[in-house]
Amino acid sequence: SAMQFEGGMDVFLASSYPTLDSLYFQLKKFENLKIEIQGHVCCLANGGEGVNLKTGKRSLSKDRAKAVFDYLVKKGIDEDRLSYVGLKAKFITGNNVLADRRVEILIK
């Protein structure tokens, strides 16, 4: 299960919501858990950053991570437990565009 996005945007695919909600419930259950939300983009050479088609800014990986952050905060998770970072296209799989349009969670 993964948190994946529309191409060029920070808009969740419908298939992302079960994973988002699972993450939310884990954060509710384990109240001391802190995470870093890491955004990724696909298809760019040399680890470049993608353009967010909604804003026109070259901040797509960070925007995707912030979308998860905002979702969790809106549901009541304390933002002091969450951080987010855009990792651009530094960690692409090279074989699956959809898998590269993702957010990963690092437990701190």
Side-chain angles (χ1 to χ4, degrees):
S1 59
M3 288 171 276
Q4 295 174 325
F5 297 83
E6 299 279 349
M9 291 191 277
D10 56 356
V11 176
F12 297 116
L13 293 179
S15 60
S16 295
Y17 286 99
T19 303
L20 284 162
D21 289 334
S22 176
L23 176 59
Y24 164 73
F25 287 120
Q26 291 302 313
L27 288 164
K28 287 293 283 183
K29 182 176 179 181
F30 300 101
E31 295 180 2
N32 294 324
L33 192 65
K34 293 186 178 186
I35 63 169
E36 179 179 83
I37 304 160
Q38 301 175 335
H40 298 268
V41 297
C42 75
C43 314
L44 290 162
N46 303 317
E49 178 63 285
V51 173
N52 186 334
L53 297 178
K54 283 177 21 185
T55 65
K57 295 182 180 173
R58 195 167 285 282
S59 58
L60 186 56
S61 68
K62 185 176 181 181
D63 295 345
R64 286 176 172 168
K66 188 174 186 312
V68 175
F69 174 91
D70 290 345
Y71 182 87
L72 294 170
V73 169
K74 186 182 255 189
K75 289 190 63 98
I77 300 299
D78 187 337
E79 63 184 72
D80 291 343
R81 299 174 57 199
L82 311 172
S83 62
Y84 63 92
V85 63
L87 296 177
K88 306 175 184 176
K90 292 179 185 170
F91 300 98
I92 61 171
T93 64
N95 59 2
N96 186 333
V97 169
L98 192 57
D100 290 333
R101 294 179 188 148
R102 72 190 186 280
V103 163
E104 295 178 327
I105 302 301
L106 175 69
I107 298 171
K108 295 174 93 176

